[in-house]
Amino acid sequence: LQKSLSETFGTDKYSRARKEVLTYMFSRPMQMALYFCTGVLHDETLFHHYALNVPFYTHFTSPIRRYADIVVHRLLSASLGAKSPIKMEKEAIQKQADHCNDRKMASKRVQELSADLFFSVFVRVRP
């Protein structure tokens, strides 16, 4: 898809903007990853990563970026015996995960609306 988009949009001053907007719009329908507490969910198929085709998967980045990543780091450290377990019940962890999911969805929606607005203006200015 990326190669096709690159070849299709030429080399004028708007080609990069067209490619970026349409690439974003093509990837929008993909399902977003959700945070959840494994101790609350009993269906292990939910732990599967489709693209990587691995049965058990967890994702996190640097703990300076998101609260959810801090929780994952703490839980992982505790499971490896490097730190003491965090003092949160699994239901409280799931509540935090739900909150992080809500905020992430709201942020994504604002990003989508911004891209839609940009695309609308772009099409109006440059049909």
Side-chain angles (χ1 to χ4, degrees):
L1 180 62
Q2 188 71 23
K3 182 179 177 188
S4 177
L5 287 174
S6 297
E7 292 172 355
T8 301
F9 293 116
T11 57
D12 68 342
K13 66 180 181 177
Y14 297 107
S15 64
R16 181 175 177 184
R18 279 193 300 270
K19 185 177 94 174
E20 287 182 19
V21 169
L22 290 174
T23 299
Y24 173 75
M25 293 175 87
F26 289 145
S27 66
R28 243 163 76 175
M30 292 182 187
Q31 183 179 5
M32 278 184 59
L34 295 175
Y35 298 112
F36 60 89
C37 177
T38 58
V40 177
L41 300 178
H42 301 292
D43 182 2
E44 289 185 358
T45 62
L46 297 173
F47 308 162
H48 181 262
H49 190 288
Y50 177 78
L52 298 176
N53 195 27
V54 292
F56 296 101
Y57 178 82
T58 189
H59 171 80
F60 56 92
T61 61
S62 169
I64 63 171
R65 293 192 58 209
R66 294 183 292 248
Y67 178 72
D69 297 317
I70 293 170
V71 173
V72 171
H73 273 255
R74 289 177 181 167
L75 291 169
L76 186 57
S77 291
S79 71
L80 295 172
K83 302 264 178 152
S84 59
I86 63 173
K87 294 177 175 36
M88 287 177 74
E89 296 294 323
K90 59 186 173 187
E91 291 77 12
I93 294 171
Q94 183 59 48
K95 187 175 179 180
Q96 289 294 322
D98 291 340
H99 178 74
C100 289
N101 289 331
D102 290 343
R103 297 295 84 212
K104 187 168 70 165
M105 295 290 189
S107 175
K108 183 170 175 47
R109 185 68 183 134
V110 169
Q111 181 183 12
E112 289 172 351
L113 291 171
S114 174
D116 290 347
L117 177 62
F118 171 79
F119 187 67
S120 298
V121 170
F122 180 79
V123 169
R124 180 180 289 170
V125 173
R126 180 93 172 132

